[in-house]
């Protein structure tokens, strides 16, 4: 079965990230805009040196003037997971919650379980460093930010907020995620935290 953006992966709780819908257009546009095709940019990235994916993302922006979306996509291609057929969400999540962050995995699992109960059309689409939850757009995001804390992000425009709900600066930056709640234990994922999920 071919993977398509937004489709549920057979035998998995995860869906293919909707961003892959832009893949074909991106392949065409990057050639038009830069004169180099995707394979050339990937080869340039491979020759950049021993960089992490995040460092390579930044390098594409600073050294070659790529926009954030293109830089992130090219870096992911260099690291082998930027094409839809290479999408491995379970591996991405396992990587996020390995080592010292493994203790956060039960919290992550509980947040995902709750999120999926909000509707059959909820899509959980892991990225390299965080996991967004979609319906037609992102409504929540799960990100392990330290070895002891997850930031549970939300797309909110409703006030008043409690002291636990922290402004991410997202409204000013026009980011989708505008607020977050630090979650360090299953107890922190309480009724107050759950009420901020907005579909």
């Amino acid at each position: 079965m071919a993977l398509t953006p937004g489709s549920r992966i057979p035998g998995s709780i995860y869906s293919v990230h909707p961003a892959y819908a832009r893949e074909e257009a991106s392949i065409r546009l990057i050639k038009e805009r830069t004169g180099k095709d995707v394979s050339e940019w990937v080869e340039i990235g491979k020759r950049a040196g021993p960089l992490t994916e995040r460092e390579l993302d930044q390098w594409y922006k600073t050294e070659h003037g790529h926009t954030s979306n293109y830089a992130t996509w090219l870096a992911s291609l260099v690291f082998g997971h930027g094409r839809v057929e290479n999408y491995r969400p379970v591996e991405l999540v396992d990587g996020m919650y390995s080592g010292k962050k493994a203790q956060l995995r039960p919290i992550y699992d509980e947040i995902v379980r709750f999120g999926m109960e909000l509707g059959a059309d909820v899509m959980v689409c892991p990225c390299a460093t965080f996991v967004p939850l979609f319906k037609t757009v992102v409504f929540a995001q799960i990100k392990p930010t330290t070895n002891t804390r997850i930031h549970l992000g939300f797309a909110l425009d409703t006030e008043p907020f409690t002291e636990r709900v922290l402004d991410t600066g997202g409204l000013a930056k026009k980011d989708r995620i505008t607020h977050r709640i630090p979650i360090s234990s299953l107890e922190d994922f309480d009724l107050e935290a759950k009420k901020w999920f907005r579909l």
Side-chain angles (χ1 to χ4, degrees):
M1 175 180 173
L3 296 178
T4 59
S7 65
R8 181 71 63 87
I9 297 170
S12 173
I13 64 169
Y14 299 121
S15 298
V16 178
H17 198 291
Y20 285 105
R22 297 189 294 270
E23 186 175 76
E24 290 307 315
S26 296
I27 290 170
R28 176 178 50 80
L29 289 171
I30 202 167
K31 173 72 170 179
E32 290 176 6
R33 292 176 179 176
T34 69
K36 294 183 176 70
D37 64 27
V38 170
S39 61
E40 290 175 284
W41 281 115
V42 168
E43 190 56 38
I44 288 168
K46 288 179 178 178
R47 294 195 307 261
L51 301 174
T52 66
E53 186 169 345
R54 184 174 293 181
E55 290 168 340
L56 186 59
D57 179 338
Q58 189 62 35
W59 181 83
Y60 274 123
K61 287 185 274 193
T62 57
E63 296 297 317
H64 295 282
H66 285 289
T67 61
S68 293
N69 286 343
Y70 279 104
T72 300
W73 177 54
L74 289 170
S76 71
L77 289 172
V78 171
F79 279 79
H81 56 83
R83 301 297 295 264
V84 67
E85 62 267 22
N86 296 327
Y87 187 53
R88 302 287 185 272
V90 172
E91 292 176 17
L92 292 173
V93 172
D94 288 346
M96 269 184 267
Y97 294 95
S98 62
K100 293 182 179 179
K101 291 184 180 178
Q103 63 185 326
L104 297 172
R105 184 63 183 262
I107 304 170
Y108 165 82
D109 289 339
E110 179 60 18
I111 295 172
V112 168
R113 185 198 62 74
F114 175 80
M116 294 189 72
E117 288 180 353
L118 297 174
D121 56 345
V122 170
M123 296 179 292
V124 183
C125 307
C127 300
T129 60
F130 62 92
V131 177
L133 280 69
F134 292 82
K135 278 213 169 183
T136 54
V137 294
V138 175
F139 65 89
Q141 175 179 289
I142 310 163
K143 183 173 185 177
T145 53
T146 72
N147 293 335
T148 60
R149 185 173 64 248
I150 284 173
H151 281 171
L152 178 55
F154 298 105
L156 301 176
D157 57 8
T158 305
E159 295 190 34
F161 299 119
T162 64
E163 291 181 0
R164 289 178 70 192
V165 182
L166 307 175
D167 190 334
T168 65
L171 283 174
K173 296 182 290 186
K174 298 185 179 179
D175 288 343
R176 180 73 187 150
I177 299 300
T178 59
H179 296 80
R180 62 180 171 81
I181 296 178
I183 305 286
S184 297
S185 67
L186 284 169
E187 289 72 27
D188 288 342
F189 188 54
D190 55 13
L191 289 175
E192 183 187 355
K194 292 172 183 177
K195 79 175 185 178
W196 293 110
F197 278 82
R198 295 285 186 268
L199 300 179

